[in-house]
Amino acid sequence: MKNRYTMQDIASRLGITKMTVSRYLKDPSKVAESTGSRIAAAIEELGYIPNRAPAMLAKSSSQAIGLVIPSFSNMVFSDLIRGVSEKASQAGYSVLITHMGYNMEEEEKQVASLLSYQMDALILTEPRHSPLTVKRIKDTHLPTVEVMSLPYRPLDMAIGLDHEAIAYQAVKALIACSRRQIVYLSVRLDTRNMIRQEGYSRAMNEAGLVPKVYSSPERSTFTLAGKLMREALDDCPQLDAILCTNDDVAVGAMLYCQSVGVKIPEDIAILGYNGLNIGDATIPRLCSIATPRYEMGSMAMDLILKRLAGEKITRRKIKLHHTVTNGATVTPAELKALLATVPDGRPSPAHRGDY
């Protein structure tokens, strides 16, 4: 028994040439409609899987894009993946997703693996890479887009946000509304998290306030967030606001506060980060700094497709803008101040195609 059917099997079954089957697989409009219908039926009946290896060897191309993400459990990356996948599918490309667990050495292995499969381009989600990863990518000259953050010197192209500035502006807004004992709840301790922490600390120091960070290297869970919130309240009973590294932490902190009778936002204002859907389901609704992750994925594919088509890219480093969700875990005055941190009248490049 055969493990895998071939184009010749389909051709023999239908009494047509292998070339006709090949033409159909490349472009169904190149064969007669009736013949195409018969080929499609045979493909479905046999469960035929095209063998792309010969084309990859002949063209040094896979018609695939490699995407390296740090976590499969973090919902932040689902919108990014959707943005990449939808645009890639429209252009006839597949997306091969690998996982590097916020580990630079693991990213090195995953990038090497993707390159061995002759990916046509790469999308990376962490801003720091090992020297070997950098060398390999530069030696291949593949279109490469770093997303989520804005590296000082991108490997090739970059689309992301200035997380330090966003956190800095958010904390300044809370301080301007008379919050003084502001705490940062931090998990994972990955690069973006630490960049946000730098923004938080800068705002606190400038205001003459003492930064207080409660952190864990573990992945974010509601339970872990509750533990950190308990530690913060025990250590700093006068705390009146918290900035959280993500929405999971914000929701976990909120649940703990509610369990011990802390009123939100009257006693403590809570600000999340990323703007995940879970924030719409909490009571009160979570106020969060929302990041345009779907747009980042879609834009990354746009840049890649332009490069693969030989078009010139005028902007290789694109800063996107955040928004603030209309939540009630901050006071109306604080929400107004936070909304004022969003660039007014300057739409993100994702919404105007300025690249």
Side-chain angles (χ1 to χ4, degrees):
M1 293 182 63
K2 292 186 176 181
N3 293 323
R4 183 169 182 159
Y5 288 99
T6 66
M7 284 193 288
Q8 186 59 58
D9 292 324
I10 295 174
S12 298
R13 173 174 289 228
L14 301 178
I16 57 179
T17 66
K18 178 181 174 181
M19 185 60 69
T20 302
V21 179
S22 178
R23 278 200 301 269
Y24 172 82
L25 291 172
K26 292 176 181 176
D27 185 354
S29 67
K30 296 295 184 182
V31 303
E33 186 176 347
S34 59
T35 301
S37 297
R38 293 172 62 212
I39 294 173
I43 288 173
E44 183 174 351
E45 180 182 348
L46 298 176
Y48 169 74
I49 302 172
N51 182 3
R52 295 168 62 176
M56 289 170 58
L57 292 172
K59 301 177 183 178
S60 296
S61 170
S62 61
Q63 283 294 113
I65 308 299
L67 171 59
V68 184
I69 63 171
S71 171
F72 283 136
S73 63
N74 192 335
M75 292 301 293
V76 165
F77 299 102
S78 62
D79 287 333
L80 174 77
I81 292 170
R82 186 165 58 89
V84 171
S85 299
E86 288 182 5
K87 185 74 67 165
S89 178
Q90 292 168 9
Y93 282 83
S94 300
V95 179
L96 182 57
I97 304 171
T98 63
H99 170 265
M100 48 82 73
Y102 294 97
N103 183 284
M104 193 180 294
E105 287 70 30
E106 184 61 27
E107 182 193 55
E108 184 179 291
K109 296 176 185 177
Q110 296 303 326
V111 167
S113 177
L114 290 170
L115 293 176
S116 74
Y117 284 102
Q118 297 179 297
M119 295 291 106
D120 290 342
L122 295 175
I123 299 175
L124 307 178
T125 52
E126 287 298 287
R128 296 176 183 172
H129 320 283
S130 72
L132 183 54
T133 295
V134 173
K135 183 180 187 312
R136 283 170 171 161
I137 291 175
K138 288 186 176 294
D139 286 349
T140 63
H141 302 288
L142 284 184
T144 301
V145 185
E146 294 166 279
V147 297
M148 304 294 282
S149 304
L150 282 176
Y152 180 68
R153 287 192 179 91
L155 293 172
D156 182 11
M157 300 172 283
I159 304 171
L161 299 100
D162 185 342
H163 295 282
E164 195 273 348
I166 292 171
Y168 169 77
Q169 292 163 358
V171 174
K172 280 195 68 174
L174 293 176
I175 292 171
C177 293
S178 300
R179 301 288 183 175
R180 291 292 180 270
Q181 299 290 329
I182 306 172
V183 164
Y184 184 66
L185 298 189
S186 170
V187 298
R188 276 287 192 193
L189 311 186
D190 59 276
T191 301
R192 271 183 297 278
N193 182 6
M194 301 312 293
I195 290 172
R196 289 194 279 269
Q197 183 175 315
E198 289 173 5
Y200 156 79
S201 296
R202 180 160 68 97
M204 293 291 285
N205 287 327
E206 282 186 6
L209 302 174
V210 179
K212 293 186 178 180
V213 178
Y214 295 86
S215 64
S216 170
E218 299 176 33
R219 70 180 182 89
S220 60
T221 63
F222 301 146
T223 303
L224 176 60
K227 176 183 176 183
L228 293 176
M229 189 71 226
R230 183 178 68 249
E231 291 177 3
L233 282 171
D234 288 345
D235 185 53
C236 183
Q238 300 304 312
L239 79 85
D240 55 15
I242 58 171
L243 171 63
C244 302
T245 189
N246 62 37
D247 288 347
D248 288 352
V249 172
V251 172
M254 185 193 315
L255 292 173
Y256 179 79
C257 286
Q258 291 171 335
S259 72
V260 295
V262 173
K263 296 179 181 179
I264 302 167
E266 294 85 354
D267 298 333
I268 296 178
I270 297 180
L271 181 61
Y273 205 102
N274 284 318
L276 297 182
N277 177 259
I278 189 172
D280 293 335
T282 61
I283 301 175
R285 185 184 183 197
L286 177 65
C287 182
S288 181
I289 294 166
T291 55
R293 300 174 302 280
Y294 175 87
E295 289 81 359
M296 270 188 264
S298 182
M299 285 181 70
M301 274 307 306
D302 276 338
L303 290 175
I304 286 170
L305 293 172
K306 286 176 181 289
R307 279 281 302 279
L308 292 175
E311 297 183 34
K312 184 178 180 180
I313 302 299
T314 58
R315 298 181 63 194
R316 291 179 175 246
K317 187 174 179 180
I318 302 172
K319 182 170 76 171
L320 303 185
H321 308 318
H322 70 288
T323 55
V324 177
T325 63
N326 185 25
T329 53
V330 296
T331 66
E334 289 163 350
L335 178 60
K336 182 178 179 180
L338 289 165
L339 288 169
T341 68
V342 180
D344 185 32
R346 293 173 51 204
S348 164
H351 301 132
R352 65 173 188 250
D354 185 14
Y355 51 92

